[in-house]
Amino acid sequence: MSAVSRATRSVTHTHEHLVSTIAELGEVPVIELVDGGRVVAVLIAPDLFEALLDAADDADDYRALAEHAADPDPDMVPLG
């Protein structure tokens, strides 16, 4: 996955300007919320969130294939 642009906003700013902060996700797909100099939450644009879920599902599939290749089921009957 390529680098994703991101912004940082304080929790206080976000609390005071929630609607505009959410609207910002149309321009910047990731907004880190900072409190006391520490990232405490992250807002993610819906399309990026869906892409991350798809990537996680793909990773699970690849892991399952790798585990099977490393230790195939001896009782499995090949198709074809």
Side-chain angles (χ1 to χ4, degrees):
M1 187 176 286
S2 63
V4 175
S5 61
R6 60 182 71 195
T8 302
R9 300 288 175 265
S10 71
V11 170
T12 302
H13 172 87
T14 303
H15 178 71
E16 294 170 356
H17 306 280
L18 182 58
V19 172
S20 64
T21 301
I22 291 171
E24 230 181 309
L25 290 169
E27 300 167 23
V28 180
V30 175
I31 300 174
E32 298 175 334
L33 304 182
V34 178
D35 188 31
R38 188 172 66 92
V39 176
V40 295
V42 179
L43 299 176
I44 301 174
D47 57 338
L48 177 56
F49 180 70
E50 288 299 323
L52 291 170
L53 289 177
D54 289 345
D57 286 343
D58 290 347
D60 284 343
D61 293 344
Y62 293 134
R63 184 175 28 260
L65 287 170
E67 287 173 1
H68 175 73
D71 188 21
D73 182 354
D75 296 328
M76 184 180 287
V77 176
L79 297 176

